[in-house]
Amino acid sequence: MKQSENVKIKSLQFKDDGSIPNNPTYPLLLYKDVITSEDEAKAALTENNWLGAWRGSVAPFHHYHSNTHEVLAVVDGKAQLQLGGEQGGQVQVEQGDTVFLPAGVGHKLLEASSDFAVIGAYPNGKSYDFCYCKAEERPENLENIKNVPLPDTDPLFGEDGPLFSYWVDGRS
């Protein structure tokens, strides 16, 4: 894995679009080309207490998680993702990239290479909910998002990782 000081980090903040709340406190982070083909992404996540790991793809419809943050480490292929809902932005990800999704941030797979795969995980192995942008779920989900704490560790770099330069708990 690259050293944290050598990683190019892109920070994206999305506003609530009325359907997808996104996160008012923490931006989505994209660490570009951080994991080498020799690295064991799942092992790095586990070592930093991001657990409940699964390997697969990203759902091809807008959704978000209201009760936990999520990390997606791209371990194979490449894909175009829609992030932050319809009003958000499109981002190309490829093997070696890692996406840090704060609770509430929408994500959707637009297109992918046939070998595209991510490993997803959650701080402390938190079970995640699956929110489908329905109006009736929104009040509870907004409250859930407000209550998701800052994670204890950066999923790749531990307690002193660059995540904490971007995610600062400014809530009272």
Side-chain angles (χ1 to χ4, degrees):
M1 190 162 339
K2 287 186 175 178
Q3 296 296 313
S4 63
E5 60 271 8
N6 297 327
V7 176
K8 181 180 176 189
I9 301 172
K10 186 173 187 175
S11 172
L12 301 167
Q13 188 80 48
F14 303 108
K15 294 187 183 304
D16 185 330
D17 67 6
S19 176
I20 294 179
N22 292 301
N23 193 295
T25 306
Y26 309 134
L28 177 146
L29 298 177
L30 172 60
Y31 288 16
K32 291 297 289 177
D33 193 30
V34 64
I35 301 171
T36 68
S37 57
E38 293 81 37
D39 292 326
E40 291 292 330
K42 183 178 176 183
L45 298 173
T46 299
E47 180 179 314
N48 291 304
N49 206 31
W50 283 64
L51 308 171
W54 53 269
R55 182 185 172 106
S57 188
V58 176
F61 50 85
H62 289 291
H63 69 285
Y64 63 94
H65 311 292
S66 76
N67 65 341
T68 188
H69 308 298
E70 180 177 40
V71 62
L72 300 173
V74 182
V75 292
D76 284 307
K78 61 183 176 181
Q80 188 78 13
L81 303 177
Q82 177 76 37
L83 302 170
E86 289 295 333
Q87 310 303 313
Q90 294 184 15
V91 174
Q92 178 81 24
V93 295
E94 57 193 10
Q95 190 280 319
D97 295 346
T98 301
V99 181
F100 302 92
L101 295 157
V105 173
H107 44 294
K108 171 186 175 179
L109 178 69
L110 295 174
E111 59 184 334
S113 61
S114 60
D115 61 342
F116 176 67
V118 298
I119 293 179
Y122 309 90
N124 304 316
K126 172 82 174 163
S127 293
Y128 59 92
D129 58 4
F130 224 91
C131 303
Y132 300 95
C133 314
K134 295 178 182 173
E136 62 270 16
E137 68 186 14
R138 191 171 167 82
E140 179 182 353
N141 292 346
L142 289 173
E143 195 60 33
N144 288 347
I145 292 164
K146 285 183 202 173
N147 292 315
V148 175
L150 189 67
D152 295 332
T153 59
D154 178 302
L156 298 178
F157 297 106
E159 293 178 359
D160 298 321
L163 173 84
F164 300 109
S165 296
Y166 297 88
W167 288 15
V168 178
D169 197 346
R171 297 174 287 193
S172 51

